[in-house]
Each structure stands twice: as C-alpha cells, then as structure tokens.
C-alpha cells in the first residue's frame, strides 16, 4: 500500500466512525457509504493494475486516481459538519475585533478595477494547477521522493477536511447572504444554528462579471461549492504547503515564478468573499506545522516501509 492510500483509508475510517455515531441524523447516509465503497474499489483496482504492470506510468495513475477524488471528498465535509451548529457568527466577530471591519465586505469595493478583478480570479483558479504542478515536479525531477510529496499533499488535505468536518464555517458569501449585508455592516452577527442544513444561497461573486477568469471561478462555485470549509482557508494552507515542498527541492526559479500567483491566490480568497481574513491567517498559521509534521512522519515511514518505486527496485537488483 502507498502512503497516499493509507492516508485515504485513515480519513475514510474517521468519517465512517462519525457517520455511525450520527447515522440517523445524516441527510444521505446510504450514498455516503456507497461512495466510500467505490473509493476502496478504485484503490484495489489501481493496486491490481500496478501489480500487473509496475512502472512509473501506473504509479502516477495510482496516485492521481486518489488525488482526483479530493474534489469528491470536499463537498462530503458539508454532509458531516451540517450536523453541528454553524460558527460563522464567531469567525465574523473575530474579523471585526481584530481588524475593526469586515475585510471580505470592503475588499471588493476598494478594488473595483476589471484588471484587478481578473488578476485575483486568475490567482484563485490557479489553486489546483499549483498542486498538480508541485506533484509533477517531484514525479519528473525527484521521483524517489514523489510518493512522499503525494502523501504530504493528500494527508494535508485530509487534516483540513477533519477540521472542516468538526468546525462548520460557511464563509462570508453564505453568511452575509443569510444575515443581510445591512446587518453585517452594522456589526450584527447572529447565530444561525442549523440554517445551512436547508439553505445554500450565496452572494453574487464580486468583480468584473465579463472576465474570463471570473467566469471560471463562478462556474466552479456553481458546480461544486457548498456552505462549508471556510476556517481555516485550505486554499491558503495548501498553496503554502506546495511552496514549502518546492522549497524542499530547492526549486528557487519556479518558486519566484509562482510567487505572484501565490500572493494573488491568498488575496483572492477574501476578495471573492469565500473566506474571512481570519481564515487566511489561520491557513498560514496551520500550513507550516502541518507540513513539518507530515515531513517528519514521512521520514519515519521511509525508514522502515518498503519502496514502491520501480526504479528503486531495479537499483536494488543491480546492487
């Protein structure tokens, strides 16, 4: 088994325990269970393919098949965290206390320029490409650490998903819509309880609505966004972890090339009202310890776990 697969099974087991405890309260428990059966079936199928044809291509297929499922696991957090009372009122208060305002409310109005809007939306849509690029850099430049990189990326996502499962924060675009912009501007942040169990309405995406990148973000939100996963910002956390992984490889030129995109991405999370500014700070604050923890864990695993790399096996035979 790959480390990535163990990370998937660990998160799967965690969510199964939660589902068993709250089974009668879940909205779609049967579909969630069958979804997990399909995940395990896919994992077994990819394992069999790799066993029949062990090479770098099938290793990449095996890892990517699990990474592609992150888009499936993400809305699944909504099905779990809607069991608990919404906490947006608390996080919105933190923004008000720390900054004296609601940055997610003011930021789009301060920068109405179409150029700024497109740049920030470009940064936001670069999130998954940045993750894919990081993993592929390891695959082509440092294959002996490819599995380790994939494990850190996947396990980091699942750590954030555990937080999202237990801490239901929908984000400004949902909370402001539910409460009303007028009330938010007055500093009124009411408890909403289980409101998001039955409502998924959000504000209109701010920015230049005719822009190409604006449309990409709007389409992505329409197809897969849920009132979930706002605190901390996994966009900020995961993009920071990707930058740290590239720093680990000493990819300084690539880091410098990605730095503007990274900055735009972090700013965009507040600009498009997906996150409170506190979410961004929490994303930065959690990224480094998560990265260091998983780096240490993967180092310990590599000391006693067998290598799955075909090149490693061939090199051992040559010795």
């Amino acid at each position: 088994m790959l480390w990535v697969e163990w990370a998937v099974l660990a998160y799967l087991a965690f969510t199964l325990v939660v589902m068993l405890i709250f089974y009668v309260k879940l909205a779609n428990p049967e579909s969630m269970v069958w979804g997990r059966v399909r995940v395990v079936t896919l994992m077994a199928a990819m394992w069999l393919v790799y066993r029949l044809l062990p090479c770098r291509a099938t290793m990449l297929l095996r890892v990517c098949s699990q990474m592609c499922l992150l888009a499936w696991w993400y809305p699944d957090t909504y099905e779990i965290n809607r069991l608990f009372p919404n906490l947006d009122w608390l996080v919105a208060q933190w923004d008000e206390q720390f900054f004296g305002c609601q940055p997610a409310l003011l930021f789009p109005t301060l920068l109405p320029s179409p150029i700024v809007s497109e740049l920030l939306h470009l940064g936001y849509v670069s999130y998954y490409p940045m993750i894919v690029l990081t993993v592929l850099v390891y695959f082509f430049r440092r294959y002996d650490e490819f599995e380790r990189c994939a494990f850190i990326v996947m396990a980091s996502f699942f750590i954030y998903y555990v937080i999202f499962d237990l801490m239901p924060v929908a984000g400004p675009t949902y909370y402001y819509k539910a409460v009303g912009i007028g009330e938010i501007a007055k500093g009124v942040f009411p408890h909403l309880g289980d409101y998001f169990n039955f409502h998924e309405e959000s504000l209109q995406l701010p920015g230049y609505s005719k822009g190409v990148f604006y449309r990409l973000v709007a389409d992505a939100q329409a197809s897969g966004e849920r009132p979930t996963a706002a605190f901390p910002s996994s966009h900020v956390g995961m993009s920071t972890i990707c930058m740290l992984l590239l720093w680990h490889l000493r990819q300084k030129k690539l880091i410098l090339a990605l730095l503007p995109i990274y900055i735009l991405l972090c700013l965009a999370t507040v600009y498009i009202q997906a996150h409170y500014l506190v979410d961004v700070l929490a994303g930065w604050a959690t990224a480094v310890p998560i990265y260091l923890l998983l780096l240490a864990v993967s180092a310990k695993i590599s000391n006693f776990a067998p290598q799955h790399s075909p090149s490693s096996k061939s090199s051992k035979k040559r010795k």
Side-chain angles (χ1 to χ4, degrees), residues 113-169:
S113 165
I115 296 176
V116 173
S117 170
E118 277 295 272
L119 285 173
L120 289 170
H121 285 93
L122 165 63
Y124 197 78
V125 300
S126 299
Y127 175 56
Y128 283 112
M130 181 183 293
I131 294 168
V132 171
L133 176 63
T134 301
V135 174
L136 289 180
V137 166
Y138 271 80
F139 182 78
F140 289 109
R141 294 285 185 89
R142 186 74 68 80
Y143 184 74
D144 60 317
E145 290 200 52
F146 166 66
E147 187 183 350
R148 186 184 194 188
C149 168
F151 165 75
I152 290 173
V153 169
M154 288 290 286
S156 297
F157 263 108
F158 287 134
I159 288 173
Y160 281 118
Y161 286 178
V162 168
I163 299 172
F164 300 153
D165 287 334
L166 302 177
M167 189 168 182
V169 180

Side-chain angles (χ1 to χ4, degrees), residues 40-255:
V40 174
T41 302
L42 175 64
M43 186 184 298
M46 291 298 100
W47 174 85
L48 181 59
V49 169
Y50 181 76
R51 293 292 295 177
L52 293 173
L53 186 62
C55 64
R56 292 192 178 194
T58 52
M59 171 62 79
L60 183 63
L61 179 64
R62 190 175 171 185
V63 169
C64 288
S65 65
Q66 293 303 320
M67 296 192 72
C68 287
L69 289 176
L70 287 169
W72 178 80
W73 285 111
Y74 168 73
D76 195 67
T77 63
Y78 170 63
E79 299 299 328
I80 296 175
N81 72 30
R82 63 200 290 197
L83 297 168
F84 310 109
N86 174 261
L87 296 175
D88 276 80
W89 64 273
L90 177 63
V91 182
Q93 280 188 13
W94 289 345
D95 257 14
E96 194 75 22
Q97 291 169 359
F98 295 157
F99 310 110
C101 63
Q102 290 294 296
L105 190 61
L106 296 179
F107 194 13
T109 63
L110 294 175
L111 297 172
S113 165
I115 296 176
V116 173
S117 170
E118 277 295 272
L119 285 173
L120 289 170
H121 285 93
L122 165 63
Y124 197 78
V125 300
S126 299
Y127 175 56
Y128 283 112
M130 181 183 293
I131 294 168
V132 171
L133 176 63
T134 301
V135 174
L136 289 180
V137 166
Y138 271 80
F139 182 78
F140 289 109
R141 294 285 185 89
R142 186 74 68 80
Y143 184 74
D144 60 317
E145 290 200 52
F146 166 66
E147 187 183 350
R148 186 184 194 188
C149 168
F151 165 75
I152 290 173
V153 169
M154 288 290 286
S156 297
F157 263 108
F158 287 134
I159 288 173
Y160 281 118
Y161 286 178
V162 168
I163 299 172
F164 300 153
D165 287 334
L166 302 177
M167 189 168 182
V169 180
T173 188
Y174 293 103
Y175 184 67
Y176 293 175
K177 177 69 173 180
V179 175
I181 295 295
E183 293 299 295
I184 295 295
K186 295 175 185 177
V188 177
F189 309 110
H191 298 235
L192 294 185
D194 62 352
Y195 176 86
F196 292 115
N197 279 15
F198 313 102
H199 300 84
E200 296 183 29
E201 301 84 12
S202 64
L203 296 174
Q204 181 179 348
L205 185 69
Y208 178 58
S209 61
K210 296 182 180 179
V212 173
F213 295 109
Y214 176 99
R215 291 309 317 163
L216 289 174
V217 175
D219 290 344
Q221 289 190 336
S223 63
E225 196 58 66
R226 302 285 190 283
T228 183
F231 181 89
S233 170
S234 58
H235 276 69
V236 172
M238 289 306 307
S239 59
T240 302
I241 288 170
C242 285
M243 297 293 274
L244 291 170
L245 282 166
L246 293 173
W247 180 260
H248 178 72
L249 285 189
R250 298 294 186 265
Q251 296 290 316
K252 295 181 180 179
K253 292 182 179 179
L254 182 56
I255 290 172

